[in-house]
Amino acid sequence: MSYGATFPAWRAAAGPAWDAYTRHAFVAGLGRGDLPRVAYLHYLRQDYVFLVHFSRAWALAATKCDNIEDMRLCAATLHALIDDEMRLHVATCAAEGLDEATLFATQEAPATLAYTRYVLDAGHAGDLLDLLAALAPCVLGYGEIGARLLAEAGETPYRDWIETYGGPGYQDLCTRVGGLIDGAVARRLGPGMQDSPRWASLCDRFATATRLEVGFWDMGLRP
Amino acid sequence: MSYGATFPAWRAAAGPAWDAYTRHAFVAGLGRGDLPRVAYLHYLRQDYVFLVHFSRAWALAATKCDNIEDMRLCAATLHALIDDEMRLHVATCAAEGLDEATLFATQEAPATLAYTRYVLDAGHAGDLLDLLAALAPCVLGYGEIGARLLAEAGETPYRDWIETYGGPGYQDLCTRVGGLIDGAVARRLGPGMQDSPRWASLCDRFATATRLEVGFWDMGLRP
Amino acid sequence: MSYGATFPAWRAAAGPAWDAYTRHAFVAGLGRGDLPRVAYLHYLRQDYVFLVHFSRAWALAATKCDNIEDMRLCAATLHALIDDEMRLHVATCAAEGLDEATLFATQEAPATLAYTRYVLDAGHAGDLLDLLAALAPCVLGYGEIGARLLAEAGETPYRDWIETYGGPGYQDLCTRVGGLIDGAVARRLGPGMQDSPRWASLCDRFATATRLEVGFWDMGLRP
Amino acid sequence: MSYGATFPAWRAAAGPAWDAYTRHAFVAGLGRGDLPRVAYLHYLRQDYVFLVHFSRAWALAATKCDNIEDMRLCAATLHALIDDEMRLHVATCAAEGLDEATLFATQEAPATLAYTRYVLDAGHAGDLLDLLAALAPCVLGYGEIGARLLAEAGETPYRDWIETYGGPGYQDLCTRVGGLIDGAVARRLGPGMQDSPRWASLCDRFATATRLEVGFWDMGLRP
């Protein structure tokens, strides 16, 4: 999955951390189906709270756009997160007897706090592009994982997770977010993006968020 | 129109500024139909840019909520603004030969800058309730004006404006925003809101935004 | 006065608005001494409130730096504004019977609201460089005006104003702020700053703030 | 140490987490002098980066004040952090051959990211009081630890650390910050602070930051 021109360059610059994230033992367990249910539910509760703050970050992005198309895409992504993607979490947890208010009140693990607040701060410290570099590993990495597992995975109780991220709705969102990033790069760095004095710090944002994804999966495996 | 319990109290505290806004000569001209077309189009272009920044303020509100229902309502309001309400502006200006990119690039009048940036700063300086007090005069005042004109106005070339704000979609939004405000008051000030040490500064936020509305209509009359 | 390499380029791009600001009738009146006292005091009260929000903007800048030297300079500028520059306003108004709490509570003119909140929003919408482009006209323009009036003006009751901005303390601050801007440009745009896709929008930030300065002087002349 | 009226109430509400923080094994090691040097230096590097972001949080606080005295205190605290407190870190690390630019570039541990960005986000999500509740455990807890160790500790190589936080300069800062908090509470919650509907969420902010302090000391012990 390339999702545009910038994402593959950031992914390459992240080095082995990218595979540590997208081929993590937690991901393998989702695909093979042998991830313990208790780990999955622990992850899902933290991921719900993660998505609350990730939605806040997309809302923040909508405040930092310089054209109406980008604003509409950020607003649509916010909508997709809090009205669609979270449905998976709410429905699965409801089947376990947890209602949404309880989910919302979940005490955040340090890994959840570190990742979500780092992304929000990237937006407050910098411009739209700094924020997008911190948002990209989660949005597009889940797209990459979902597409791969959809193609490869056999029987698994986690098929609804795989279809949420591997399915056409989420894949289309990834393509549009990739285009948003490419446009933000073009309007700020120009054609030779890798020669920009900002390139290293953007790669660093992306790599830090990628490491925080690894920490999030690690946390998921320790219910 | 009461739209809940807090709005009428803020409106009363704003004193004569409220009528100066909601019964402004510009409003009367919309209802009677004798507002000069050139003034209307001048207003509409500035109001488009106003709505861009007002949408940013609703996105900011979504970053400042403490429960998921409020986040969903802020996201829905953002959506209503940039995907529905702006359609009136885009369609009317398109009929005059102005496309949306040109609209977006409109140079902002000082009255537009003052109002929009004051609202955004209310959110950055304070919490959700400070922001809502600055957002309320526009959202709910337009609801009040729209409902009155829909009931009272006869033939007027500005019927599409009146129906946009007086119609059931916008009125329902106002009712929901009124409930959002009442909930935010309950969770921050408690039952005796007018005895809270914050009450005066919230009324001041509301009154300042109301005065800035008057300045915005004044600007509209000077194309 | 050049105060570095970026400021002269932004000033040139602002065109005639720059002279409309720095050679405004209000400025001429300060130098010749025939500015009505009532206009000066009206300006000074609004300028005190302006400086409150301008200090907030420098504090915001301190949250957006990527190195410790820049943070220290932003903190030092914040200190210079609220502990030194405001002393002129407080002392002059005290001699007129206005204490600082009354000054702080001054109702802001629309021109004050528009300018200060525009600058703050430039920081929230963008990165440090976007904010600096909006801060530059005031900081460095006052340095330019102060230096010129100090060299040219004869007898005038506004000598303390002229010495505040023309004196070595403020001029040194301007030189350091000019260096801060040049560094921020180097680390974000690289050597060919005027070829960057961001150049036009930075010039637009600077030009908008310059126009808002003109509006602020206009307001000063209408007590 | 009480540092005003609000801090003791928040501290009591934090329960056993407060002692887990202020009587952590790392603290005991500082007092007895048997904390391994390698742990101390590891902590000091992370704490330098912590202070960079903590300074940003105090700068953010300066943007959220509603009176000039509070702004001056936030600006003075920012100055104390980046011009005084960090000197301990810079001088100690310089003696180990690490210059300040290297310190600034330290890769942040997850515990550092989680704590600092949580505090910054408390400010962006809420008002000044929400931010102060998240800032308080570090500022005032270090004051409490420093005062106790200064009174109790014997010979220890970490005497400069103890004197930095137990000495009169830092203790005076704590007293002033305690007063800032009490004033912010009075102006937002009124006299019966513990009956305010906001009380629980403010205690939760304080308790979360306290738990993140425990995590920070834990990280210090794992160089």
Side-chain angles (χ1 to χ4, degrees), chain A residues 5-15 18 64 118-119 121-123 125-138 140 180-212, chain C residues 66 126-127 187-189 196-198:
Chain A
T6 308
F7 169 59
W10 283 345
R11 186 174 53 187
W18 188 256
K64 298 177 80 77
Y118 174 76
V119 172
D121 183 49
D127 66 5
L128 179 68
L129 188 52
D130 294 302
L131 177 51
L132 291 173
L135 285 164
C138 178
L140 305 181
L180 172 69
I181 293 171
D182 285 351
V185 163
R187 279 191 301 276
R188 284 170 185 78
L189 309 189
M193 64 183 177
Q194 305 201 208
D195 299 327
S196 162
R198 287 183 68 181
W199 185 250
S201 82
L202 291 167
C203 290
D204 185 60
R205 287 273 181 216
F206 185 94
T208 300
T210 300
R211 283 196 304 274
L212 291 164
Chain C
D66 52 16
D127 67 5
R187 279 192 301 278
R188 282 170 186 78
L189 309 189
S196 163
R198 287 183 67 182

Side-chain angles (χ1 to χ4, degrees), chain C:
Chain C
M1 295 296 145
S2 65
Y3 308 131
T6 309
F7 170 59
W10 282 345
R11 187 174 51 188
W18 189 255
D19 275 4
Y21 156 39
T22 57
R23 295 176 182 277
H24 193 277
F26 192 101
V27 173
L30 286 169
R32 285 190 313 258
D34 58 4
L35 177 73
R37 188 78 185 165
V38 65
Y40 182 65
L41 292 173
H42 171 60
Y43 153 81
L44 215 59
R45 290 188 65 170
Q46 289 294 323
D47 197 50
Y48 176 88
V49 186
F50 177 93
L51 287 175
V52 167
H53 296 286
F54 213 65
S55 299
R56 295 175 59 223
W58 274 102
L60 180 61
T63 74
K64 298 177 79 78
C65 295
D66 52 16
N67 64 75
I68 193 72
E69 290 77 23
D70 285 2
M71 285 183 72
R72 288 196 174 116
L73 180 50
C74 290
T77 305
L78 168 62
H79 169 75
L81 287 166
I82 63 174
D83 291 311
D84 294 338
E85 190 177 343
M86 280 180 177
R87 299 276 177 233
L88 168 72
H89 303 66
V90 172
T92 307
C93 291
E96 303 281 333
L98 287 172
D99 65 13
E100 191 167 8
T102 307
L103 265 182
F104 192 89
T106 301
Q107 184 173 305
E108 294 179 74
T112 312
L113 283 169
Y115 192 176
T116 53
R117 301 321 193 278
Y118 175 75
V119 173
L120 281 158
D121 183 50
H124 285 295
D127 67 5
L128 179 68
L129 187 53
D130 294 302
L131 177 51
L132 290 173
L135 285 164
C138 178
V139 181
L140 304 181
Y142 266 54
E144 188 176 302
I145 292 168
R148 194 181 70 235
L149 292 186
L150 193 67
E152 294 177 0
E155 279 293 290
T156 164
Y158 303 115
R159 184 142 291 276
D160 53 353
W161 190 95
I162 294 170
E163 285 172 356
T164 295
Y165 298 105
Y170 192 83
Q171 291 296 317
D172 178 58
L173 178 70
C174 288
T175 300
R176 293 200 292 156
V177 168
L180 173 69
I181 293 170
D182 285 352
V185 163
R187 279 192 301 278
R188 282 170 186 78
L189 309 189
M193 65 183 176
Q194 305 201 210
D195 299 328
S196 163
R198 287 183 67 182
W199 186 250
S201 82
L202 291 166
C203 290
D204 185 60
R205 288 273 181 214
F206 185 93
T208 300
T210 299
R211 283 197 305 272
L212 290 165
E213 280 284 2
V214 176
F216 198 82
W217 290 135
D218 288 346
M219 175 272 296
L221 289 181
R222 293 187 309 261

Side-chain angles (χ1 to χ4, degrees), chain C residues 71-72 75-76 78-79 83, chain D residues 55 58-59 72-87 173 176:
Chain C
M71 285 183 72
R72 288 196 174 116
L78 168 62
H79 169 75
D83 291 311
Chain D
S55 298
W58 275 101
R72 288 196 174 117
L73 180 51
C74 290
T77 305
L78 169 62
H79 169 75
L81 286 167
I82 62 174
D83 291 311
D84 294 338
E85 190 177 342
M86 280 180 176
R87 298 277 177 233
L173 178 70
R176 293 201 293 157

